[in-house]
Amino acid sequence: MSAIQENDMTNTSRLEHCFTALKQQNRPALVSYLTAGDPDAKTSRRLLHELPEAGVDIIELGMPFSDPMADGPAIQKAALRALENGQTQAKTLEMVRQFREQNSTTPIVLMGYYNPIYCYGVERFLTDAAKAGVDGLIVVDLPPEHDEELCQPAAQHGIDFIRLATPTTDAKRLPKVLANASGFIYYVSVAGVTGGSAPTPERLENAVNQLREHTPLPIAVGFGIRTAEQAATIGRFSDAVVVGSALVDCIEHASSGDDAVTRVHGLVKELAESVRGCRY
Amino acid sequence: MNKPLSLPDANGLFGSFGGRFVAETLMPLILELQDEYATAKNDPEFQRQLAYFQGDYVGRPSPLYFAERLSEHFGGASIYLKREELNHTGAHKINNCIGQVLLAKQMGKKRIIAETGAGMHGVATATVAARFGLPCVIYMGATDIERQQPNVFRMKLLGAEVIPVTSGTGTLKDAMNEALRDWVTNVDDTFYIIGTVAGPHPYPAMVRDFQAVIGHETRAQMSEKQGRLPDSLVACIGGGSNAMGLFHPFLNDADVKMIGVEAGGKGVNSGLHAASLNGGTPGVLHGNRTYLLQNEDGQIIDAHSISAGLDYPGIGPEHAWLHEQGRVEYVSATDDEALEAFQICCRQEGIIPALETAHALAEVAKRAPTLPCEHLMVVNLSGRGDKDMMSVAHHLGDKFGVKNV
Ligand SMILES: Cc1ncc(COP(=O)(O)O)c(C=O)c1O
């Protein structure tokens, strides 16, 4: 089911390949968010490895942090489950490395907060991440004002720095937000934390269209997308839809590791089917 | 050394500390706040209003009191207490709240939120919100709600909604996370009154400036009493606002020694403490880079202190910078040392200090006896201890035949 055929990856990035291929298929990417190590290392590895098969085009993998200020209860709890079960930055990178042994096409974007990266050491982190096969980074608490911390060094390691644009990003600020962006733009659908509810599709479509006037990069929409129906509606006008809390909830409600895998991949399949047909 | 009085720089940095490590959603608002504050700072009308409320509402200036019996008790330095506990609401916290609420009004904000640990900042925020007719939501850790009941009741009486925070350990850092989450969700109408010199720029500088009235008054009062500057300044440190407020106006006076006292909990080597500078490493949390209690993987470790107001795993970024510059000496006092100093202050001066403040007094107990009586030592008596009766009774009640307060 994977959207992308084996490609020669010499010059273009996996993310670019992915979006180009999907454009040809006239459909948006399905982006999944899961926290690395949630609920435990073994289950998390299984969940990750089977995501492309279930229909995910781009994987966001959360690096758990003790103080996730921009996350709602679902992802907060996921981070705690992972940390309680011993997840570390090194283990998260190792998960990516193992994934890459089997899959060389599906882009992986690590998402999280700056402190665990800062403590790991920025240069060391970027070196290890590039080696493991990480394609991009989303770091919630690094606005463009701090680009010299990680965004610029990441570029030197060939890792995209995916920028968040939000409903509060006005015309005056947008150029600054877009300046060093690469990979894609992540439009945060609401001013709020993860796990809330999405605004009306009309408002979202307007926002995405406005963004397009300022950037050639693909635009993903996330925060508050939970159902196949929502994914289809939003996928009509965006280049990617991100589903996070709804998948993480599947893990919380699961009775066992097997059950978590069944539930997550069940929802992913629904979402995947829905984004594949949404523009016809 | 850099010129300390001119920091932070335009990006909110004190050397490598500080900054604006926040989600994009908050950035436009933080930049707006920075501009508004820069304007207010030089606006005579804003300053006039601030002075009016500091005087007639807060009760400033607070006295600089020569603690004769305490000085005699320790048998060394001449100890002066800067009586911030006499302010309206019983601590230094209101100096900052008055400033920020005036700014909130000026910016047309309709709703106030705040985090609180000991509840003193929560009470001060609820107080100014009541005075200015703004609805107010206070985030407070569930653990802290337990140990600071009187303040919870005070906030409710003042019309604030107190939301218990159960994530993490249910203390100050978790309350701050939750307040930040509220803020990103309600950016349009909400003003977040941060209670200490932490958070993203411009908060560390803004809170410091509002608290600097403590140091400015101290300068003038000591000059009047003794015709010179004090020799040393001592203050306790949670996030560091009462300390920054006292220290900042003296930073360029090389002869004035400054000592910040962190909460040593059960001892800095025990792992159960809140001493970010003495037992932590640099990292990024709550919008700024500073010293933090964290493990080697960058996960924040819970702080421990008998005093809820010091129970925070970070410290304001300017303190991190002053620590690295060596301008201020940072030490720690344990729970037991604080309890001991608490009792001495009660018995010698008839002043019941806050448990936070007792940490500063514990350092005085160590230092004053080694100094001559010509040495003028100023201690920031940051708050009164009424709120701590339950905690203290829990620890000392047996001694007084008291079980519950
Ligand atoms: C009386 C008193 N002193 C000190 C503090 C610690 O805060 P800061 O270090 O910001 O002065 C608190 C905090 O609640 C307090 O209530």
Side-chain angles (χ1 to χ4, degrees):
Chain A
M1 253 173 139
S2 173
I4 313 139
Q5 313 308 313
E6 280 290 337
N7 270 309
D8 134 47
M9 311 282 269
T10 41
N11 281 317
T12 38
S13 72
R14 283 187 200 95
L15 277 167
E16 264 182 271
H17 263 289
C18 175
F19 281 110
T20 310
L22 293 177
K23 199 162 196 155
Q24 283 161 7
Q25 297 174 30
N26 191 27
R27 71 168 179 90
L30 175 62
V31 185
S32 64
Y33 171 93
L34 292 174
T35 300
D38 176 32
D40 56 67
K42 190 163 144 256
T43 312
S44 182
R45 211 174 308 127
R46 276 179 63 198
L47 283 164
L48 177 67
H49 284 243
E50 293 170 26
L51 285 173
E53 180 58 28
V56 164
D57 301 300
I58 297 170
I59 294 172
E60 269 181 24
L61 189 60
M63 300 172 280
F65 180 45
S66 54
D67 293 77
M69 280 121 43
D71 284 298
I75 295 180
Q76 287 174 41
K77 280 188 249 168
L80 285 184
R81 283 193 294 271
L83 291 173
E84 271 162 20
N85 284 316
Q87 191 67 17
T88 61
Q89 289 291 95
K91 286 181 185 172
T92 301
L93 292 172
E94 176 59 18
M95 269 178 80
V96 177
R97 198 190 61 74
Q98 288 179 8
F99 176 86
R100 279 278 169 258
E101 287 177 355
Q102 299 169 18
N103 179 315
S104 58
T105 53
T106 308
I108 294 195
V109 173
L110 293 182
M111 180 162 186
Y113 296 81
Y114 186 38
N115 198 50
I117 297 174
Y118 180 73
C119 283
Y120 193 95
V122 167
E123 269 308 309
R124 179 175 160 234
F125 177 80
L126 291 170
T127 304
D128 292 357
K131 226 188 286 169
V134 169
D135 301 286
L137 296 173
I138 302 177
V139 183
V140 182
D141 52 355
L142 281 178
E145 278 73 4
H146 286 297
D147 270 357
E148 72 296 344
E149 296 276 338
L150 185 65
C151 173
Q152 288 161 10
Q156 303 198 326
H157 288 261
I159 296 180
D160 285 323
F161 198 82
I162 288 122
R163 194 75 86 192
L164 305 173
T166 76
T168 62
T169 313
D170 54 17
K172 189 171 126 223
R173 182 157 174 82
L174 197 53
K176 182 141 195 152
V177 169
L178 296 174
N180 291 325
S182 54
F184 60 93
I185 301 296
Y186 188 138
Y187 183 70
V188 174
S189 71
V190 282
V193 294
T194 53
S197 51
T200 61
E202 295 75 46
R203 270 186 47 197
L204 269 178
E205 185 165 5
N206 276 339
V208 169
N209 288 340
Q210 271 178 1
L211 266 178
R212 283 204 199 286
E213 286 174 19
H214 296 94
T215 177
L217 290 171
I219 296 167
V221 175
F223 278 44
I225 305 176
R226 304 188 64 88
T227 65
E229 202 188 338
Q230 281 176 306
T233 314
I234 292 166
R236 265 173 222 131
F237 53 81
S238 69
D239 304 305
V241 290
V242 188
V243 180
S245 294
L247 294 172
V248 168
D249 279 342
C250 291
I251 299 177
E252 184 179 355
H253 297 137
S255 56
S256 66
D258 284 342
D259 190 30
V261 175
T262 309
R263 284 172 186 249
V264 169
H265 292 150
L267 179 53
V268 167
K269 280 179 186 148
E270 275 177 46
L271 294 162
E273 203 169 304
S274 160
V275 298
R276 274 162 180 75
C278 74
R279 294 195 190 146
Y280 297 99
Chain B
M1 182 163 140
N2 294 323
K3 285 179 246 105
L5 292 182
S6 64
L7 291 178
D9 69 12
N11 292 315
L13 293 171
F14 303 89
S16 66
F17 299 105
R20 291 178 278 226
F21 295 87
V22 296
E24 178 56 32
T25 312
L26 291 177
M27 272 313 295
L29 185 59
I30 280 174
L31 294 172
E32 187 195 341
L33 177 61
Q34 181 185 325
D35 290 346
E36 287 279 349
Y37 176 58
T39 309
K41 215 173 154 171
N42 298 311
D43 173 11
E45 176 52 23
F46 183 90
Q47 293 302 328
R48 191 194 62 74
Q49 282 193 39
L50 183 60
Y52 166 73
F53 282 103
Q54 281 179 343
D56 288 7
Y57 192 67
V58 174
R60 303 208 68 90
S62 70
L64 182 69
Y65 161 72
F66 174 51
E68 194 178 346
R69 294 241 308 145
L70 202 58
S71 303
E72 267 169 26
H73 179 83
F74 291 132
S78 295
I79 300 163
Y80 286 77
L81 304 178
K82 179 61 176 162
R83 303 284 306 273
E84 291 298 303
E85 101 282 11
L86 293 177
N87 295 337
H88 181 38
T89 71
H92 66 293
K93 295 287 180 187
I94 199 159
N95 301 332
N96 166 46
C97 292
I98 278 287
Q100 288 199 49
V101 83
L102 287 172
L103 212 48
K105 270 292 199 196
Q106 189 161 305
M107 291 173 78
K109 299 295 179 187
K110 299 275 180 279
R111 177 174 174 264
I112 298 292
I113 60 169
E115 84 295 339
T116 197
M120 296 310 271
H121 175 58
V123 167
T125 303
T127 297
V128 301
R131 170 60 185 77
F132 288 86
L134 294 167
C136 175
V137 173
I138 305 289
Y139 291 93
M140 186 166 187
T143 310
D144 291 340
I145 285 185
E146 206 56 44
R147 57 179 166 173
Q148 303 285 330
Q149 274 299 322
N151 272 347
V152 176
F153 187 55
R154 286 167 83 195
M155 287 183 267
K156 290 183 177 171
L157 277 176
L158 291 160
E161 183 186 351
V162 181
I163 301 189
V165 178
T166 50
S167 57
T169 36
T171 58
L172 187 50
K173 93 172 162 79
D174 308 296
M176 193 144 179
N177 287 333
E178 216 47 44
L180 284 164
R181 290 183 187 118
D182 178 315
W183 202 26
V184 278
T185 313
N186 300 290
V187 256
D188 286 342
D189 67 344
T190 297
F191 193 102
Y192 180 13
I193 301 191
I194 295 183
T196 191
V197 284
H201 180 62
Y203 282 97
M206 178 171 72
V207 176
R208 171 199 73 200
D209 293 348
F210 288 139
Q211 291 292 2
V213 66
I214 302 173
H216 288 301
E217 285 177 8
T218 300
R219 255 188 115 86
Q221 289 164 323
M222 191 57 98
S223 296
E224 192 174 308
K225 286 180 201 299
Q226 293 290 343
R228 65 182 184 92
L229 295 182
D231 297 298
S232 62
L233 310 172
V234 184
C236 69
I237 297 201
S241 69
N242 86 86
M244 225 38 252
L246 176 62
F247 296 169
H248 194 258
F250 294 96
L251 283 179
N252 280 346
D253 301 298
D255 291 341
V256 180
K257 192 165 169 47
M258 301 175 192
I259 302 108
V261 189
E262 299 188 301
K266 307 257 181 246
V268 173
N269 295 325
S270 72
L272 295 173
H273 62 84
S276 315
L277 289 177
N278 284 291
T281 50
V284 174
L285 180 70
H286 294 154
N288 66 89
R289 184 179 0 242
T290 187
Y291 274 71
L292 300 172
L293 303 182
Q294 55 185 338
N295 71 15
E296 66 291 343
D297 210 39
Q299 308 298 338
I300 307 306
I301 297 173
D302 294 312
H304 168 93
S305 170
I306 189 174
S307 128
L310 306 185
D311 213 343
Y312 181 68
I315 182 167
E318 190 163 9
H319 286 292
W321 182 76
L322 291 169
H323 167 68
E324 292 206 340
Q325 294 292 313
R327 175 64 186 95
V328 178
E329 182 182 351
Y330 293 90
V331 298
S332 67
T334 64
D335 290 351
D336 289 344
E337 289 167 341
L339 270 173
E340 178 66 26
F342 174 91
Q343 294 172 81
I344 293 171
C345 187
C346 292
R347 299 293 279 268
Q348 296 300 325
E349 291 295 343
I351 295 172
I352 300 179
L355 277 177
E356 290 77 18
T357 314
H359 288 71
L361 295 167
E363 179 60 23
V364 174
K366 294 175 199 169
R367 202 170 285 253
T370 68
L371 297 164
C373 66
E374 297 77 36
H375 183 104
L376 305 178
M377 177 181 279
V378 174
V379 189
N380 198 348
L381 208 91
S382 59
R384 66 178 190 229
D386 308 44
K387 69 187 175 63
D388 294 314
M389 289 303 99
M390 271 182 23
S391 303
V392 175
H394 175 73
H395 287 93
L396 300 176
D398 281 351
K399 184 169 151 187
F400 297 92
V402 176
K403 282 277 173 266
N404 272 307
V405 182

